[in-house]
Amino acid sequence: MTAPVFVVERMPTGPEFVLDGPEGRHAVSVRRLQPGEDVVLTDGLGRWAEGVVHAAEGKDRLTVALRTGVREEPEPAPRITVVQALPKGDRGELAVETMTETGVDAIVPWQAARCITQWKGDRGAKSLAKWRATAREAGKQSRRVRFPEVADAATTKQVAALLADADFAGVLHEDRDHDSTPLATAALPAAGSIVLVVGPEGGVSPQELAAFAEAGARPYRLGRSVLRTSTAGTAATALLLGRTGRWG
């Protein structure tokens, strides 16, 4: 079994590190780690170090003896960003969780025209915080040391600008009669950035498709079946990771 991952505000600089606060409490009281067990400390930004539990004190304090110096995971290439239309209920957190576990690099919440869910005021701020907390926890669970960035909610105009700057820009489109290409056969870049838009349950509106096409994004489909918005991004991420060699 791989060592559990714990997030630290600052990477350790000496031979030992004290893990306390919520992460220390989780390690001692939930994971019940004992001296001699392996752990990984990370800042979630790509830097990490391996260690072994030296001592557990109280309910929220763990002393870790470092086995390695701080290492840094290289930036992924190509970088994969999924623009996720806001799903209903807790399906947004489900989408973030599974995309994080799969290996997406960035998630952009999108208030599409046909979204039932509306992020406004305090509700929007709380929902965004939930998405970010979900990405952090899923990153730890999946043993990642570089967690995906969850951006602020974007407008259609902002999404179009993001697509215009990408090396590969696409929109998942569920209409079989639409002039779309299978994502499985699309020509993908070996480096740079891939940005893929996942629309809401009601689909991407013609006006949004036109704006994205003007930005250089083409429509793509995953297969014969139509996936829910909360699962389409995960399936597409897995496909892209396999086709670009990042799962090699």
Side-chain angles (χ1 to χ4, degrees), residues 10-182:
R10 288 185 292 233
M11 293 303 297
T13 57
E16 286 191 343
F17 182 84
V18 175
L19 185 68
D20 53 14
E23 290 291 271
R25 187 176 304 109
H26 183 74
V28 176
S29 300
V30 179
R31 295 300 300 259
R32 300 186 182 277
L33 296 181
Q34 299 295 321
E37 294 191 75
D38 294 331
V39 297
V40 171
L41 304 177
T42 182
D43 59 4
L45 302 174
R47 291 177 293 181
W48 60 285
E50 295 176 342
V52 60
V53 176
H54 178 68
E57 307 166 23
K59 296 182 178 180
D60 61 355
R61 187 179 176 92
L62 202 71
T63 301
V64 177
L66 298 186
R67 282 182 167 170
T68 66
V70 176
R71 304 174 182 177
E72 185 161 3
E73 183 178 275
E75 290 275 0
R79 177 180 168 85
I80 299 172
T81 296
V82 172
V83 176
Q84 175 66 59
L86 305 181
K88 295 182 291 184
D90 61 357
R91 288 187 175 275
E93 288 101 276
L94 174 63
V96 172
E97 179 180 50
T98 54
M99 283 193 284
T100 298
E101 292 174 357
T102 304
V104 76
D105 302 304
I107 301 168
V108 180
W110 172 40
Q111 186 73 65
R114 294 176 177 172
C115 284
I116 295 175
T117 298
Q118 299 287 318
W119 279 13
K120 294 180 179 179
D122 290 343
R123 179 181 178 180
K126 289 178 181 178
S127 296
L128 179 59
K130 283 183 180 180
W131 281 34
R132 287 173 172 165
T134 298
R136 173 188 168 107
E137 293 307 309
K140 290 168 55 180
Q141 187 278 328
S142 54
R143 310 298 196 265
R144 291 182 63 167
V145 296
R146 188 181 291 279
F147 300 164
E149 172 193 353
V150 179
D152 292 339
T155 63
T156 296
K157 184 177 180 180
Q158 290 169 327
V159 172
L162 189 66
L163 291 167
D165 288 338
D167 296 285
F168 175 92
V171 181
L172 288 185
H173 200 286
E174 78 284 359
D175 188 349
R176 296 179 192 172
D177 296 328
H178 197 277
D179 185 20
S180 58
T181 302

